[in-house]
Amino acid sequence: MTTAPAPAATVVSTAEAVSSRRCSAGEVVEDALAAIEEKDRDLHAFLEVTARQAREEAREVDLRVAAGEKLALAGVPFVIKDNMWIAGRTTTCASRILEGYRPPGDGTAIARLRKEGAVFVGRANMDEFAMGSSTENSSAGPTRNPWDTSRIPGGSSGGSAAAVASGMAPAGLGSDTGGSIRQPAACCGIVGFKPTYGRVSRYGLVAFASSLDQIGPLTGNVADAARVYRVLAGHDPMDSTTSAEPVGDPEAALDRGVKGLRVGILAEAQVEGLDPEVSADLARARRLFKEAGAQVREVSIPRAPAAIAIYYVVASAEASSNLARFDGVRYGPRRDDSSLLSLYVESRTAGFGPEVKRRILLGTFALSAGYYDAYYGRAMRARELLLEDFEDAFEGVDVIACPTIPAPAFRLGEKVDDPLTMYLSDVFTVPASLAGLPAISVPSALSRDGLPLGIQILAPRFAEETLFAAARAFERAAEFPPLAR
Amino acid sequence: MVRHVAALARLRVPEEDLPALTHQLARILSYIDQLKEIRQEPRREPQMTATPLRDDVGVAGHGREALEANSPSLLHDHGAVPRVVGGAKP
């Protein structure tokens, strides 16, 4: 036992160091806890640091390694977005309505990480019920961007992104409904990956919009994302929407390169009014792919500009239905039970924050008698057209590249009173969500103000191996300077 | 309208919040109205793929203690919730 790797170390290097007993999981977790102690005062990435349980988990991992078990994530500290069940911890979705909720056990994603030796250092801050793009809609207050603490870290998985970017943990889990892994990853200069819809079990993930929600990793690099994804992916009898499609070997695909790969640059991303730095970053990505040997061409998704409008109908409608279960009867604080109706109304009114209420109202309206076809029906038809656009596009290209964020991270408070402008932050991430495609954000460059930008790569459903090959090649070419941790 | 939808959603909107909320929702809906301009019909009807069912065999759950941990109160070893029939509080 010599020197423990700093928590800024990668997932792969930490797992190898612990597996080969160059250091112990116990030492790794102490380093992570020390980094959290030092840095989280300024960032507020954590809702709770679970030091005691993390130390116990690390001890367990050390025993398993000593007994000769081979663990893909041996001793790797993870930060978990607070909408996933971890046995023995609370799950609150950063909402007052779930205060004190204790899940009955691990969700499937957590159980799979645990089986491979992961250690859970804490619950990460998020926008309440994953509704937001800035982590400002948390009942516990916002998280700050480690590159510039006057700015938002993105959202809704902003706590996980800030924790990983600042070196408090090498990996985090997030959930992505319209961009909630990719957008904060781009804002914080790290990698964020949303797998194909159906790849990762949502058992133990508190539902927001069930036709869109997907769990995925936030990591410091592409190889780490592939490692975590390999552990997470695969059919689960507890989530009947998971696919039995073979996962393949995403890690082996990493070094395939992009020679001959057909890379489509999204035509609709090159619109007037796009931040000039983002536009230049996309032009650079096009050049880097070309230099790496890819065949680069333009590709059009004609319905992409309508994606935000489709999304806010579909996701809000599903949310209004999913969140109907929070009624003061089974979960959280209970208000005014003088009648059943007042119990529902008062518990929900006190328990949900403003953005969650806004989306519930929007979704309830879109599904209500007289408006259903004009809103929900129309949005579902437009979603189908968007799917067809992607099907057509993928006949001519293997992957599609576009920016992840339309501008670098904005200042805290800048958009809180203007929900529509906030929604437009997700303009580039929502199309892949609606189409169920795998998509990854790779940090690309720094803006003039020293803030990260990200390039997003999309692939056809279940083509994660191709996606990882393209992402790794781009990462290598882009030479993004990570935050000095 | 906002009041009606709030009642459907089992939410109460305080009077003082109504103007701002109405304005925000109206802006969002007018943005969503761009979907009216999409006149083309999809090649196939939008449909959710059928949900596969798992085998109908018993599996171990998380156990009684884990379930009881979330019960606001226990009565004769059962989770107790407010009375919902008969109106009055027990």
Side-chain angles (χ1 to χ4, degrees):
Chain A
M1 308 273 165
T2 50
T3 49
T10 68
V11 170
V12 172
S13 70
T14 303
E16 272 156 21
V18 173
S19 294
S20 61
R21 305 180 73 186
R22 274 187 284 121
C23 68
S24 70
E27 289 169 307
V28 173
V29 81
E30 290 308 326
D31 276 359
L33 293 171
I36 294 167
E37 175 78 34
E38 182 203 328
K39 294 174 180 171
D40 203 43
R41 266 190 302 266
D42 297 335
L43 299 179
H44 189 232
F46 287 84
L47 289 172
E48 186 193 9
V49 180
T50 51
R52 182 182 54 80
Q53 293 100 319
R55 288 188 175 114
E56 278 168 25
E57 286 159 355
R59 253 193 306 277
E60 178 74 16
V61 170
D62 283 327
L63 290 173
R64 291 171 67 192
V65 170
E69 276 194 63
K70 296 275 166 269
L71 305 171
L73 301 172
V76 177
F78 270 75
V79 48
I80 306 294
K81 187 178 186 177
D82 194 32
N83 58 353
M84 291 175 227
W85 293 0
I86 315 175
R89 276 86 149 179
T90 52
T91 303
T92 71
C93 293
S95 178
R96 284 195 299 268
I97 212 161
L98 271 172
E99 237 163 57
Y101 171 69
R102 296 188 79 81
D106 281 338
T108 298
I110 300 300
R112 289 189 177 188
L113 296 184
R114 194 190 291 283
K115 188 163 170 267
E116 291 298 334
V119 170
F120 306 109
V121 289
R123 304 187 286 115
N125 200 11
M126 57 185 282
D127 285 297
E128 183 179 3
F129 282 101
M131 297 179 190
S133 309
S134 66
T135 316
E136 291 169 295
N137 301 328
S138 162
S139 69
T143 295
R144 293 169 180 275
N145 191 316
W147 292 81
D148 174 351
T149 53
S150 72
R151 294 181 186 265
I152 58 110
S156 63
S157 312
S160 300
V164 172
S166 60
M168 294 193 274
L173 283 194
S175 66
D176 190 314
T177 304
S180 282
I181 292 173
R182 294 160 283 156
Q183 187 259 12
C187 288
C188 290
I190 59 170
V191 171
F193 170 54
K194 180 196 90 72
T196 304
Y197 182 80
R199 271 300 198 199
V200 177
S201 170
R202 284 100 47 91
Y203 176 69
L205 170 72
V206 179
F208 159 14
S210 305
S211 77
L212 299 158
D213 297 340
Q214 195 56 203
I215 292 173
L218 294 108
T219 54
N221 63 54
V222 174
D224 282 359
R227 168 72 58 94
V228 179
Y229 164 69
R230 172 164 75 78
V231 171
L232 292 174
H235 179 71
D236 174 23
M238 296 303 284
D239 175 358
S240 55
T241 62
T242 51
S243 167
E245 195 78 22
V247 176
D249 190 346
E251 289 190 83
L254 282 169
D255 291 317
R256 274 190 202 163
V258 290
K259 208 166 220 106
L261 194 79
R262 299 168 305 165
V263 177
I265 304 293
L266 182 67
E268 284 74 16
Q270 298 155 66
V271 290
E272 215 179 307
L274 182 65
D275 183 297
E277 290 192 275
V278 173
S279 179
D281 193 44
L282 183 61
R284 175 174 176 255
R286 171 196 284 265
R287 179 169 58 75
L288 293 179
F289 272 119
K290 210 168 174 180
E291 286 169 6
Q295 298 173 32
V296 182
R297 62 190 71 165
E298 196 114 314
V299 69
S300 172
I301 303 292
R303 251 67 59 138
I308 292 281
I310 302 169
Y311 175 83
Y312 277 92
V313 175
V314 173
S316 304
E318 294 184 21
S320 74
S321 168
N322 272 325
L323 271 59
R325 75 191 66 180
F326 302 108
D327 55 8
V329 176
R330 289 157 296 176
Y331 307 90
R334 186 178 282 170
R335 308 278 167 129
D336 187 6
D337 59 1
S338 57
S339 77
L340 186 59
L341 189 64
S342 69
L343 166 71
Y344 287 168
V345 171
E346 297 310 320
S347 301
R348 288 165 64 79
T349 299
F352 291 133
E355 179 59 23
V356 174
K357 286 179 189 158
R358 211 152 28 227
R359 301 224 197 165
I360 291 176
L361 291 173
L362 188 60
T364 305
F365 170 75
L367 292 176
S368 65
Y371 297 96
Y372 180 93
D373 202 54
Y375 286 92
Y376 189 72
R378 182 175 282 140
M380 287 301 279
R381 284 192 295 279
R383 182 181 185 177
E384 190 65 35
L385 286 165
L386 178 71
L387 245 76
E388 291 174 1
D389 286 350
F390 275 111
E391 278 172 19
D392 296 345
F394 283 125
E395 282 181 13
V397 297
D398 301 304
V399 296
I400 296 174
C402 66
T404 311
I405 44 178
F410 49 87
R411 290 190 190 283
L412 284 153
E414 197 179 311
K415 297 184 181 180
V416 275
D417 294 324
D418 187 355
L420 181 60
T421 311
M422 181 81 87
Y423 296 172
L424 295 173
S425 324
D426 296 335
V427 62
F428 294 127
T429 50
V430 157
S433 299
L434 288 168
L437 307 174
I440 192 165
S441 178
V442 181
S444 50
L446 291 178
S447 72
R448 268 194 312 275
D449 294 336
L451 297 165
L453 299 172
I455 287 291
Q456 184 186 205
I457 307 169
L458 288 66
R461 282 166 61 78
F462 303 112
E464 274 89 356
E465 287 170 296
T466 309
L467 187 68
F468 277 116
R472 178 74 189 101
F474 177 74
E475 176 184 55
R476 212 170 250 160
E479 295 181 324
F480 177 80
L483 186 62
R485 307 190 278 192
Chain B
M1 189 63 188
V2 174
R3 267 195 212 96
H4 169 67
V5 175
L8 290 176
R10 303 292 186 256
L11 289 171
R12 182 169 49 77
V13 180
E15 278 305 310
E16 64 269 26
D17 295 348
L18 262 179
L21 189 62
T22 307
H23 171 73
Q24 286 167 348
L25 290 172
R27 261 194 84 204
I28 296 165
L29 287 176
S30 81
Y31 179 81
I32 287 170
D33 278 340
Q34 66 172 277
L35 296 180
K36 286 182 185 160
E37 287 154 31
I38 300 177
R39 307 211 180 272
Q40 199 182 334
E41 286 298 314
R43 295 194 281 261
R44 40 173 199 260
E45 269 302 293
Q47 54 189 358
M48 303 297 282
T49 44
T51 301
L53 300 175
R54 63 172 176 259
D55 294 337
D56 188 12
V57 288
V59 288
H62 297 284
R64 174 172 168 165
E65 254 175 56
L67 294 176
E68 285 177 353
N70 282 307
S71 183
S73 61
L74 286 170
L75 200 60
H76 309 303
D77 286 341
H78 293 283
V81 296
R83 173 181 289 180
V84 295
V85 278
K89 245 177 129 170

